[in-house]
């Protein structure tokens, strides 16, 4: 169940904590994965790790495609490059994102613009570009990684929360436009996930976070990877326009 044999997937931000977990989960289910990110060296090392630990599917090796999502030209070239390299695209995971945290009264215009550009606009561009090959194939799975703060808000993250809430609305609209072509579009909203970034927090900070979570602990990359593998699967073909929250009960969003 939830096998992805024969599928080609693109994961942005693939060398990061959550992105790498998603890529590994998709590969374990049989997908061939194009790993995208802005750091070519990190992508190369992760690709080698992925092939070593998981292996390659029968229809070809996993590949890396460098792309800076703040550059609109590179964004527009990413889907065509993926299709040329893999021979098609069945699954798009818009995972890459940045933060430029600041209180609203102190937030600079470029801190707003950078987050909206990468987290919202690039996601739109990649969804739009993937629609044509997916519609031609009459099959596709689009998974947009949002965040619990897109539903709850978070002080100091007005730009990030706005971008993630925007992605949710955008995904619902897109899902309605392409549903008749066998394409689903859903959001996956992580809560606090243990990553190299959260490991820099001291014990008191981590305890404060864990106290906000009914399960009393942060999630792990595998929790997000497993959810992404489900949404990418053929079995999830009747699930579209939804947001799957994976947050240990921190925000029980109806």
């Amino acid at each position: 169940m939830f096998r992805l044999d024969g599928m080609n997937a693109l994961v942005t931000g693939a060398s990061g904590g959550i992105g790498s977990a998603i890529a590994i989960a998709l590969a374990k289910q049989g997908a061939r994965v194009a790993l995208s990110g802005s750091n070519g060296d990190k992508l190369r090392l992760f690709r080698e790790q992925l092939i070593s630990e998981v292996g390659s599917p029968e229809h070809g090796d996993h590949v890396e495609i460098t792309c800076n999502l703040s550059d609109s030209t590179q964004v527009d070239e990413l889907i065509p490059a993926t299709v040329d390299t893999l021979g098609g695209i069945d699954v798009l995971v818009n995972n890459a994102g940045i933060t430029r945290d600041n209180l609203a009264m102190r937030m600079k215009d470029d801190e707003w613009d950078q987050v909206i550009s990468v987290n919202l606009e690039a996601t739109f561009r990649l969804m739009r570009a993937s629609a044509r090959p997916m519609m031609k194939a009459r099959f596709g799975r689009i998974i947009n990684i949002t965040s619990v703060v897109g539903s709850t808000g978070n002080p100091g993250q007005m730009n990030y929360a706005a971008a993630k809430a925007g992605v949710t609305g955008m995904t619902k609209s897109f899902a309605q436009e392409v549903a008749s072509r066998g394409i689903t579009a859903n959001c996956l909203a992580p809560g606090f996930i243990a990553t190299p970034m959260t490991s820099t927090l001291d014990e008191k900070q981590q305890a404060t976070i864990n106290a906000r979570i009914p399960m009393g602990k942060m999630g792990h990359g595998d929790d997000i990877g497993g959810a992404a593998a489900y949404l990418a699967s053929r079995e999830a073909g009747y699930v579209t326009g939804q947001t799957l929250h994976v947050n240990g009960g921190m925000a029980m969003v109806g």
Side-chain angles (χ1 to χ4, degrees):
M1 185 173 282
F2 310 144
R3 293 293 303 173
L4 308 177
D5 300 298
M7 290 193 190
N8 296 311
L10 168 64
V11 180
T12 68
S15 61
I18 290 178
S20 61
I22 291 172
I24 290 169
L26 299 184
K28 282 183 175 179
Q29 293 303 107
R32 184 184 184 196
V33 185
L35 311 166
S36 183
S38 58
N39 189 320
D41 292 336
K42 288 180 68 175
L43 285 176
R44 200 168 300 112
L45 288 172
F46 176 59
R47 174 179 174 271
E48 293 171 359
Q49 174 193 340
L50 183 64
I51 293 174
S52 173
E53 294 182 2
V54 181
S56 296
E58 293 182 357
H59 61 297
D61 282 337
H62 307 297
V63 301
E64 76 260 7
I65 304 175
T66 305
C67 178
N68 181 353
L69 293 185
S70 65
D71 184 326
S72 60
T73 299
Q74 291 188 38
V75 173
D76 289 342
E77 292 172 349
L78 181 54
I79 297 297
T82 301
V83 172
D84 288 344
T85 303
L86 300 184
I89 180 170
D90 303 292
V91 181
L92 167 63
V93 183
N94 282 306
N95 165 73
I98 63 171
T99 57
R100 297 290 185 269
D101 295 351
N102 215 338
L103 294 175
M105 292 179 65
R106 299 175 184 170
M107 186 172 290
K108 299 178 178 63
D109 288 349
D110 66 331
E111 291 173 335
W112 173 271
D113 292 341
Q114 289 169 17
V115 170
I116 297 299
S117 174
V118 172
N119 296 9
L120 183 61
E121 183 178 342
T123 296
F124 160 69
R125 287 177 175 271
L126 293 176
M127 290 172 67
R128 180 178 63 183
S130 69
R132 189 174 299 277
M134 288 182 178
M135 290 175 75
K136 185 176 181 180
R138 301 193 72 81
F139 180 89
R141 299 284 184 265
I142 293 175
I143 304 167
N144 294 325
I145 307 303
T146 57
S147 170
V148 64
V149 307
S151 297
T152 64
N154 200 37
Q157 287 194 312
M158 183 180 285
N159 49 3
Y160 187 77
K164 292 304 188 180
V167 169
T168 300
M170 185 169 65
T171 303
K172 291 179 179 180
S173 297
F174 188 81
Q176 295 178 56
E177 294 180 11
V178 299
S180 65
R181 304 300 182 94
I183 303 168
T184 66
N186 293 287
C187 292
L188 179 51
F192 283 106
I193 304 298
T195 64
M197 185 180 298
T198 59
S199 67
T200 63
L201 301 174
D202 61 36
E203 290 185 8
K204 183 177 180 181
Q205 290 171 318
Q206 293 193 36
T208 299
I209 290 172
N210 290 340
R212 297 171 57 189
I213 305 170
M215 287 190 173
K217 61 180 180 179
M218 295 187 196
H220 294 281
D222 290 348
D223 298 318
I224 307 303
Y230 163 67
L231 290 176
S233 71
R234 295 173 179 84
E235 287 85 350
Y238 202 55
V239 178
T240 196
Q242 306 302 313
T243 298
L244 177 55
H245 288 270
V246 184
N247 60 37
M250 190 181 87
M252 300 185 183
V253 182

